[in-house]
Amino acid sequence: MTAVKLDGLAVAKQIKLELAQQVTALKARGITPGLGTLLVGDDPGSLSYVAGKHRDCAEVGVNSIRIDLPASATEADVRKAIQELNSAKEVTGYIVQLPLPAGMDSNRLLELIEPDKDADGLHPINLGRLVMNVSGEITSPLPCTPSGIVELLRRSDIETKGKEVAVIGRGLTVGRPLGLLMSRKGVDATVTTLHSASKDIADHVRRADIVVAALGQPHFVKPEWIKPGAAVLDVGISRTGAGLVGDVHPAVADVAGYLSPNPGGVGPMTRAMLVSNVVRAVS
């Protein structure tokens, strides 16, 4: 048995085609969505990530607005840049690229983002809206990776209603908000969030119909943990001597029914959902 690949690249491409059509319709009404990015310093990973976001924007017709500050920038400089992005009419959504330089209070700075322009969907107000909204339509920005995971499952015709989901990792960007999204009415999964203090992780995973690994430990999820036929999504990634390695052991593909690889799975979905947040802000 070889798992069916959950091809995030292909699904993200389809989403971007749909977004391009929406952007064309918006422009016909005199509205042009714009993504802003604030990058401080010259971290190679951050530079690559921000460049990818602007390429995505070019593909769908969204304007790109960049503010790049040197590593020597002060917290006051970052505050000023955030204020500029908040007030810029051409910016319908933006991100502050992390990590910020050592010594800066990232959480306090991120809270300065105008919630309706929060392209990452991680502002406390937007997370609070997600907590409070169990069944209705969500119009506020959603966390990009969790919403990308739900969308990848939906478009791959993987049933979530009544299914057991094991999420390994309780981080703010994936694990914690994913549980909220997966348990909403309409998705209707039963979610167990596992972390470093959880006991019998393997036993929890063996019961799961859907497994999401988002902890950043190379090949943490073993094939003997997986229920035959389960859907497994490899989200966490680590840099090793052998290159970039995901959280899921490659042999899981011999047991799982579906596998979202890393890279090429959830990552492209995250980027597509960020652009979606920017477009939805003015739709």
Side-chain angles (χ1 to χ4, degrees):
M1 177 179 180
T2 301
V4 174
K5 179 182 179 182
L6 298 178
D7 193 342
L9 280 169
V11 175
K13 182 177 180 180
Q14 180 59 42
I15 291 172
K16 286 190 285 187
L17 287 173
E18 295 167 6
L19 289 171
Q21 294 174 349
Q22 294 175 39
V23 170
T24 298
L26 286 168
K27 287 182 176 179
R29 294 162 44 200
I31 302 169
T32 301
L35 171 68
T37 60
L38 172 55
L39 175 65
V40 185
D42 53 4
D43 175 77
S46 295
L47 286 167
S48 175
Y49 184 81
V50 168
K53 296 299 184 188
H54 289 287
R55 285 195 300 271
D56 292 336
C57 287
E59 286 184 40
V60 302
V62 171
N63 281 351
S64 292
I65 301 93
R66 291 189 64 151
I67 297 181
D68 292 350
L69 299 178
S72 59
T74 65
E75 189 164 316
D77 294 329
V78 176
R79 284 175 174 271
K80 180 181 178 182
I82 290 174
Q83 291 168 358
E84 291 175 359
L85 290 165
N86 281 340
S87 61
K89 292 183 178 180
E90 69 272 22
V91 175
T92 59
Y94 72 93
I95 63 169
V96 176
Q97 180 62 33
L98 300 177
L100 291 171
M104 291 191 185
D105 189 334
S106 297
N107 287 339
R108 186 169 61 185
L109 289 168
L110 293 177
E111 288 180 10
L112 299 176
I113 296 173
E114 171 63 40
D116 289 342
K117 288 190 174 186
D118 168 31
D120 274 329
L122 296 174
H123 190 282
I125 288 179
N126 291 325
L127 289 175
R129 288 169 175 164
L130 175 58
V131 170
M132 295 175 66
N133 192 332
V134 177
S135 59
E137 180 184 0
I138 299 179
T139 57
S140 55
L142 290 172
C144 298
T145 300
S147 61
I149 289 169
V150 173
E151 191 67 9
L152 180 59
L153 292 170
R154 186 184 73 81
R155 291 184 183 237
S156 302
D157 295 322
I158 294 175
E159 181 63 58
T160 56
K161 185 175 182 179
K163 299 299 183 179
E164 296 282 340
V165 179
V167 178
I168 310 173
R170 55 181 169 183
L172 179 63
T173 57
V174 183
R176 296 172 75 178
L178 179 59
L180 295 170
L181 280 175
M182 292 293 294
S183 58
R184 294 187 78 248
K185 291 183 179 179
V187 184
D188 296 314
T190 300
V191 183
T192 300
T193 301
L194 304 166
H195 47 78
S196 58
S198 298
K199 296 181 179 179
D200 303 320
I201 290 178
D203 289 340
H204 285 289
V205 173
R206 287 189 186 100
R207 294 194 294 270
D209 305 295
I210 300 170
V211 179
V212 179
L215 71 164
Q217 291 192 27
H219 296 169
F220 180 83
V221 177
K222 307 297 190 290
E224 58 268 25
W225 295 5
I226 301 301
K227 177 194 289 188
V232 180
L233 295 94
D234 191 356
V235 180
I237 197 162
S238 304
R239 189 176 298 276
T240 70
L244 296 176
V245 176
D247 288 351
V248 175
H249 193 283
V252 165
D254 298 327
V255 183
Y258 302 88
L259 177 62
S260 173
N262 196 350
V266 173
M269 294 297 298
T270 299
R271 289 170 49 182
M273 301 316 289
L274 185 142
V275 179
S276 177
N277 278 342
V278 174
V279 175
R280 285 175 66 235
V282 292
S283 296

